Amino acid sequence: MGASSIRMSEIGLQPNSENESLFEGVHWQMVFSKYDRKGDGHIPLKELKDTLVRETSHELPEHAVRKIIAKADLNQDGYIQFPEFLSLVESKEGRIVMDSVFRRYVKSTIPPRKSRKTRHDLTDGEYEDEYTCNPPAVCMLIVSIIEILIFLWNVVSTSHNQFLGPVARNLIYDPHKRDEIWRYLSYMFVHIGHVHLIVNLLVQILVGVPLEMVHKWWRVLSIYLAGVIAGSLGTSIADPSVFLAGASGGVYAIIAAHVSTIILNWSEMEQPGLQLLIFIIIGVVDIGTAVYNRHTGAPQSQQIGYAAHLAGALAGLLVGVFMLRNLEVRSWEKKLWWIALFIYVALMFVAIVWNIAYPSYFPPPYKY
């Protein structure tokens, strides 16, 4: 019965038959007192029926509860005294009802223990309840500070053109220098103008930090870097002549990762449909604008490597499904994890092999 879920040692009793009876008697007296609102040792039968029907409505049919409680009034005076209540508790039928009531009572009066983390870091509960600042969510802030410092260094070094700064020239993704493999990642630190920098920083902080608070920094950073690498590899294949600068691949990865966590934690989130719609609208508008500018003769300063956005978003969606915490795991979601990981690894493998095996597809290296 419900009382067995409480350890007697927690209230200072040793487990023997005498103490078990005392333990149950004291707690059933406390439950009786809960319904004895006047404190006179009498609970109106009708009032007790109505109350217990409400409290067990999700577990037992109403007519069964009323029938069981009616039998408790042994002297047929329309009231339940504690001896009658105790007889009800000890009866086979009464235990069915009172077990549910007792569990609700214990849950409302005894603080729950902190749940132990499982090896897969899975917990039950509402998604919004998982936000925490312990440890502090500073990973995306640190990445943003590094990007700001590199941007300022290039401004100071060139006076006006950040693209030609000494650090930028060594970090930007240059299709003519594909053999310098660090550029597939390092381009994330280079931004063309303050607007480009500010937009990326805002998304990294406003979207990335909340993700960190639930899923921890190492998951978010892994997804961010996966998006950056996917962005440069995707651009090298889809738009091989484009130079690439900015953290858009990583930014879109964490935006898409939010979509992943909405899908996986749909029933644990508040208004998941609205959240999903907002992210979809943002992505469609931004990528649509980039595609339009890229193919309609817009000024060079307005042309954006949209392939990096698309590839980063796809990486964030796939890696996010596999890596982000899932508060309530369902069987189909386990299969989805491995499907997502397989697709991401397969796409990355194809992109890397393409870059290595078909050099004629890409712009030739510079001749010095």
Side-chain angles (χ1 to χ4, degrees):
M1 61 183 288
S4 63
S5 64
I6 306 171
R7 294 183 180 178
M8 294 168 59
S9 59
E10 293 177 353
I11 57 173
L13 295 178
Q14 297 303 315
N16 56 54
S17 57
E18 181 180 351
N19 283 336
E20 284 183 12
S21 299
L22 176 62
F23 176 78
E24 291 195 13
V26 168
H27 279 80
W28 285 125
Q29 178 68 61
M30 294 170 68
V31 174
F32 180 83
S33 299
K34 171 187 174 183
Y35 300 113
D36 181 15
R37 295 182 174 85
K38 293 183 179 180
D40 59 0
H42 295 73
I43 304 174
L45 180 62
K46 183 179 184 305
E47 183 178 309
L48 183 62
K49 285 182 182 178
D50 294 340
T51 302
L52 295 183
V53 165
R54 285 197 305 271
E55 295 195 0
T56 60
S57 59
H58 297 295
E59 301 180 44
L60 300 171
E62 177 180 339
H63 68 276
V65 175
R66 291 188 179 277
K67 184 177 179 180
I68 293 170
I69 301 304
K71 292 182 178 180
D73 186 12
L74 301 177
N75 58 10
Q76 301 295 309
D77 64 349
Y79 292 89
I80 301 294
Q81 290 82 35
F82 182 68
E84 294 174 317
F85 183 80
L86 202 54
S87 296
L88 170 66
V89 169
E90 293 174 348
S91 70
K92 182 177 179 180
E93 292 177 324
R95 282 178 180 271
I96 297 174
V97 176
M98 300 313 296
D99 179 61
S100 174
V101 173
F102 191 84
R103 286 198 305 268
R104 289 173 58 89
Y105 174 76
V106 169
K107 185 176 180 180
S108 65
T109 57
I110 298 180
R113 296 179 180 180
K114 294 183 178 179
S115 59
R116 296 179 180 177
K117 294 182 179 179
T118 68
R119 62 181 297 180
H120 297 293
D121 198 18
L122 303 175
T123 59
D124 295 325
E126 294 298 324
Y127 181 86
E128 286 75 16
D129 293 337
E130 297 298 318
Y131 282 95
T132 178
C133 291
N134 184 24
V138 296
C139 180
M140 282 295 100
L141 292 175
I142 293 173
V143 171
S144 299
I145 291 172
I146 294 173
E147 291 171 357
I148 292 172
L149 293 176
I150 290 177
F151 179 81
L152 293 176
W153 176 256
N154 280 288
V155 170
V156 172
S157 301
T158 62
S159 298
H160 62 287
N161 194 332
Q162 300 84 31
F163 184 77
L164 297 177
V167 180
R169 288 198 302 270
N170 291 322
L171 299 182
I172 197 168
Y173 172 76
D174 186 337
H176 299 277
K177 296 182 177 181
R178 292 183 309 106
D179 58 322
E180 298 177 352
I181 58 176
W182 67 83
R183 293 178 182 270
Y184 286 90
L185 182 63
S186 63
Y187 76 93
M188 62 178 275
F189 295 113
V190 181
H191 290 81
I192 312 305
H194 64 278
V195 175
H196 187 204
L197 174 67
I198 291 172
V199 170
N200 280 347
L201 293 181
L202 284 175
V203 177
Q204 284 176 188
I205 294 172
L206 296 179
V207 180
V209 170
L211 270 182
E212 280 189 63
M213 293 175 69
V214 175
H215 302 279
K216 309 309 178 186
W217 68 270
W218 58 272
R219 291 190 180 95
V220 177
L221 182 61
S222 297
I223 293 169
Y224 183 84
L225 295 179
V228 171
I229 297 174
S232 55
L233 286 172
T235 298
S236 71
I237 294 173
D239 213 350
S241 63
V242 168
F243 288 73
L244 200 58
S248 297
V251 165
Y252 266 81
I254 58 176
I255 290 176
H258 253 298
V259 175
S260 297
T261 198
I262 290 172
I263 293 172
L264 293 176
N265 296 289
W266 187 275
S267 60
E268 290 78 42
M269 300 186 77
E270 294 183 5
Q271 299 182 325
L274 178 60
Q275 295 187 50
L276 182 61
L277 180 62
I278 291 173
F279 282 113
I280 291 175
I281 291 174
I282 292 173
V284 169
V285 170
D286 188 65
I287 293 177
T289 302
V291 172
Y292 178 81
N293 289 337
R294 180 72 177 86
H295 295 289
T296 57
Q300 187 71 24
S301 61
Q302 296 181 18
Q303 294 189 16
I304 300 173
Y306 64 86
H309 293 195
L310 291 171
L314 181 60
L317 187 65
L318 295 173
V319 179
V321 165
F322 180 75
M323 290 200 65
L324 294 180
R325 294 177 62 201
N326 186 354
L327 301 188
E328 186 175 344
V329 181
R330 300 165 180 85
S331 59
W332 66 268
E333 291 172 337
K334 293 180 180 179
K335 298 176 183 177
L336 185 61
W337 292 348
W338 297 108
I339 292 172
L341 179 63
F342 174 79
I343 294 174
Y344 175 75
V345 172
L347 290 176
M348 293 292 287
F349 177 78
V350 170
I352 292 171
V353 170
W354 194 324
N355 270 266
I356 295 174
Y358 301 101
S360 59
Y361 176 79
F362 304 96
Y366 292 120
K367 294 182 180 180
Y368 297 99

Coordinates of all heavy atoms in Angstrom, one line a residue, residues 5 10 18 22 35 75 104 107 111 115 143 195 198 213 217 232-233 237 239 245 261 268 271-272 297 341 347 349:
S5 N 5.8 3.3 0.6 CA 6.8 4.1 -0.1 C 7.5 5.0 0.8 O 8.4 5.7 0.3 CB 6.0 4.9 -1.2 OG 5.1 5.8 -0.5
E10 N 13.2 7.3 8.2 CA 13.2 8.7 7.9 C 12.5 9.5 9.0 O 12.7 10.7 9.2 CB 12.5 9.0 6.6 CG 13.2 8.5 5.4 CD 12.5 8.7 4.1 OE1 11.3 9.2 4.2 OE2 13.0 8.5 3.0
E18 N 5.5 -3.8 15.7 CA 4.9 -2.8 16.6 C 5.0 -1.4 16.0 O 4.0 -0.7 16.0 CB 5.5 -2.9 18.0 CG 4.8 -2.0 19.0 CD 5.5 -2.1 20.3 OE1 6.3 -3.0 20.5 OE2 5.1 -1.3 21.2
L22 N 2.2 1.4 14.6 CA 2.2 2.8 15.1 C 2.4 3.8 14.0 O 1.7 4.8 13.9 CB 3.4 3.0 16.1 CG 3.6 4.4 16.7 CD1 2.3 4.9 17.4 CD2 4.8 4.4 17.6
Y35 N -9.6 15.6 6.7 CA -11.0 15.7 6.3 C -11.9 16.2 7.4 O -13.1 16.6 7.2 CB -11.5 14.4 5.7 CG -10.6 13.9 4.5 CD1 -9.8 12.8 4.6 CD2 -10.7 14.6 3.4 CE1 -9.1 12.4 3.5 CE2 -9.9 14.2 2.3 CZ -9.1 13.1 2.4 OH -8.3 12.7 1.3
N75 N -22.6 2.5 11.8 CA -23.8 2.8 12.7 C -24.9 3.6 11.9 O -25.9 4.0 12.5 CB -23.5 3.5 14.0 CG -22.7 4.8 13.7 OD1 -22.7 5.3 12.6 ND2 -22.2 5.4 14.8
R104 N -1.4 10.7 -2.4 CA -1.6 12.1 -2.7 C -1.2 12.9 -1.4 O -0.6 14.0 -1.5 CB -3.0 12.5 -3.1 CG -3.4 12.0 -4.5 CD -4.9 12.2 -4.8 NE -5.2 13.6 -4.6 CZ -5.2 14.5 -5.6 NH1 -4.8 14.1 -6.8 NH2 -5.5 15.7 -5.4
K107 N 2.6 12.9 -0.9 CA 3.2 13.8 -1.9 C 3.1 15.3 -1.6 O 4.0 16.0 -1.8 CB 2.6 13.5 -3.3 CG 3.3 14.2 -4.4 CD 2.7 13.9 -5.8 CE 3.4 14.6 -6.9 NZ 2.8 14.2 -8.2
P111 N 8.6 16.5 1.4 CA 9.4 17.0 0.3 C 10.0 15.8 -0.5 O 10.5 14.8 0.1 CB 10.5 17.8 1.0 CG 10.0 18.1 2.3 CD 9.1 17.0 2.7
S115 N 16.0 13.5 -7.5 CA 16.2 12.3 -8.3 C 17.6 12.1 -8.7 O 18.3 13.1 -9.0 CB 15.3 12.4 -9.6 OG 15.7 13.6 -10.3
V143 N 32.6 32.3 -26.5 CA 32.8 32.3 -28.0 C 32.5 33.7 -28.5 O 33.2 34.2 -29.4 CB 31.9 31.2 -28.6 CG1 31.9 31.4 -30.1 CG2 32.3 29.8 -28.2
V195 N 27.4 45.1 -38.3 CA 26.0 44.5 -38.4 C 26.0 43.0 -38.4 O 25.3 42.3 -37.7 CB 25.2 45.1 -39.6 CG1 23.8 44.4 -39.7 CG2 25.1 46.6 -39.5
I198 N 27.0 41.8 -34.9 CA 26.0 42.0 -33.9 C 24.8 41.0 -34.1 O 24.3 40.4 -33.1 CB 25.4 43.4 -34.0 CG1 26.5 44.4 -33.5 CG2 24.2 43.6 -33.1 CD1 26.1 45.9 -33.7
M213 N 21.5 26.2 -20.6 CA 21.0 26.1 -19.3 C 20.2 24.8 -19.0 O 20.1 24.4 -17.9 CB 20.0 27.3 -19.0 CG 20.8 28.7 -18.9 SD 19.7 30.1 -18.8 CE 19.0 29.8 -17.2
W217 N 26.9 23.0 -21.5 CA 27.7 23.7 -22.5 C 28.3 22.8 -23.5 O 28.4 23.2 -24.7 CB 28.8 24.5 -21.7 CG 29.8 23.7 -21.1 CD1 29.8 23.2 -19.8 CD2 31.0 23.2 -21.7 NE1 30.9 22.4 -19.6 CE2 31.7 22.4 -20.7 CE3 31.6 23.3 -23.0 CZ2 32.9 21.8 -21.0 CZ3 32.8 22.7 -23.2 CH2 33.5 22.0 -22.3
S232 N 30.9 25.2 -43.8 CA 32.0 25.4 -44.8 C 32.1 24.2 -45.8 O 32.3 24.5 -47.0 CB 33.4 25.5 -44.1 OG 33.6 24.4 -43.2
L233 N 31.9 23.0 -45.4 CA 31.9 21.9 -46.3 C 30.7 22.0 -47.3 O 30.9 21.7 -48.5 CB 31.8 20.6 -45.5 CG 33.1 20.1 -44.8 CD1 32.9 18.9 -43.9 CD2 34.2 19.8 -45.8
I237 N 30.9 22.7 -51.6 CA 30.3 21.8 -52.7 C 29.1 22.5 -53.4 O 29.0 22.5 -54.6 CB 29.7 20.5 -52.0 CG1 30.9 19.7 -51.5 CG2 28.9 19.7 -53.0 CD1 30.5 18.5 -50.7
D239 N 28.5 25.9 -53.5 CA 28.8 27.2 -54.1 C 30.3 27.4 -54.0 O 30.9 28.1 -53.2 CB 28.1 28.3 -53.2 CG 27.8 29.5 -54.1 OD1 28.2 29.6 -55.2 OD2 27.0 30.4 -53.6
A245 N 32.8 33.9 -44.3 CA 33.2 34.5 -43.1 C 31.9 34.6 -42.2 O 30.8 34.7 -42.6 CB 33.7 35.9 -43.3
T261 N 15.0 20.0 -30.0 CA 14.6 19.8 -28.6 C 13.1 20.0 -28.4 O 12.4 19.4 -27.6 CB 15.4 20.8 -27.6 OG1 15.2 20.3 -26.3 CG2 14.9 22.2 -27.7
E268 N 6.5 17.9 -23.0 CA 7.0 18.5 -21.8 C 7.2 20.0 -21.8 O 7.6 20.6 -20.9 CB 8.4 17.9 -21.4 CG 8.3 16.4 -21.0 CD 8.2 15.5 -22.2 OE1 8.8 15.7 -23.2 OE2 7.4 14.6 -22.1
Q271 N 3.6 25.5 -25.0 CA 3.3 26.1 -26.3 C 4.4 25.7 -27.3 O 5.0 26.5 -28.0 CB 3.2 27.6 -26.2 CG 2.1 28.0 -25.3 CD 1.9 29.5 -25.3 OE1 2.9 30.3 -25.4 NE2 0.7 30.0 -25.3
P272 N 4.7 24.4 -27.5 CA 5.8 24.0 -28.4 C 5.5 24.4 -29.9 O 6.4 24.7 -30.6 CB 5.8 22.5 -28.2 CG 4.4 22.1 -27.7 CD 4.0 23.2 -26.9
G297 N 21.8 39.6 -58.4 CA 22.8 40.7 -58.7 C 22.8 41.7 -57.6 O 23.1 42.9 -57.9
L341 N 22.1 10.5 -36.4 CA 23.6 10.4 -36.3 C 24.1 9.8 -37.6 O 25.1 10.3 -38.2 CB 24.0 9.6 -35.1 CG 25.5 9.4 -35.0 CD1 26.2 10.7 -34.7 CD2 25.8 8.4 -33.8
L347 N 26.7 12.3 -44.5 CA 26.8 13.6 -45.3 C 28.2 14.2 -45.1 O 28.8 14.7 -46.1 CB 25.7 14.6 -44.9 CG 24.3 14.2 -45.2 CD1 23.3 15.2 -44.7 CD2 24.2 14.2 -46.8
F349 N 31.0 12.6 -44.4 CA 31.9 11.7 -45.1 C 31.9 12.0 -46.6 O 33.0 12.2 -47.2 CB 31.6 10.3 -44.8 CG 32.5 9.3 -45.6 CD1 33.7 9.0 -45.1 CD2 32.0 8.7 -46.7 CE1 34.5 8.1 -45.8 CE2 32.8 7.8 -47.4 CZ 34.1 7.5 -46.9

